[in-house]
Structures are given as structure tokens and as C-alpha cells.
Amino acid sequence: MKNIHESAGTKIDKQVLILILTSLPMSQGKTRLRREIYAIVIIKLLIIVGLWWAFIRDARVEVDGQRLAEHLAQPASAATQRLHSGEPHAQ
């Protein structure tokens, strides 16, 4: 019997066999991992949508057009001063 290291053909055959044997379970593992990741992402999205539906869906912000126009028309430094002046809702 020849030693595996002596014959180049046998060595290549062994490497191919090892590659085939290690790639089969790995592809099944990758498929399983992919399914698990998809399931986790879908579950997280459902949780986020459920939280939005329960707490945020009915929340409304009233926007006063006049106040918005005044805020946008003022210089940036004046807007910063209003934020630090302690005035509530000075955004």
C-alpha cells in the first residue's frame, strides 16, 4: 500500500473528499442559519409593528402653521437661544 503523502493523485482525491464531506453539512447549516435569521427578523418586525400599533398609532402632533413659519424664518442663533431659555416646547 502506498502512503497517502507519496502519491499526488491520492492526496488530491483525499482533499476533494474532505472538501465534499465538509461542504455538505455546512450548506445545510447555512440554510438552517439563514432560516433562523429570517425568523428572528420577522419576529422583531412583528414586535415593532405591534408596539407601534399599541402605543404610537393614535398619537397626533398638532402643527400650527403660523408658529412653524415664525420658527423657520428666524435665524439659527435665535432658535438656539429659545431652546436654552427654558421655554417649554421651544423647538
Side-chain angles (χ1 to χ4, degrees):
M1 255 168 99
K2 288 186 175 180
N3 190 350
I4 294 175
H5 300 291
E6 292 176 350
S7 172
T10 308
K11 187 175 182 180
I12 292 173
D13 293 342
K14 183 180 177 187
Q15 290 175 348
V16 170
L17 182 61
I18 290 172
L19 181 65
I20 291 171
L21 291 176
T22 57
S23 67
L24 289 177
M26 204 174 232
S27 65
Q28 291 172 354
K30 286 181 181 180
T31 303
R32 182 176 176 204
L33 178 63
R34 185 176 291 130
R35 273 194 312 241
E36 289 176 1
I37 290 173
Y38 286 149
I40 290 170
V41 169
I42 289 171
I43 289 169
K44 286 183 176 188
L45 286 174
L46 289 174
I47 290 171
I48 290 171
V49 168
L51 289 171
W52 175 83
W53 190 268
F55 299 108
I56 299 174
R57 176 179 53 111
D58 295 328
R60 300 283 184 246
V61 177
E62 296 297 326
V63 179
D64 180 22
Q66 179 63 31
R67 194 162 172 198
L68 176 65
E70 290 172 3
H71 178 74
L72 292 176
Q74 64 185 337
S77 61
T80 306
Q81 289 173 355
R82 285 185 62 197
L83 284 175
H84 298 292
S85 68
E87 180 183 331
H89 304 293
Q91 296 179 4

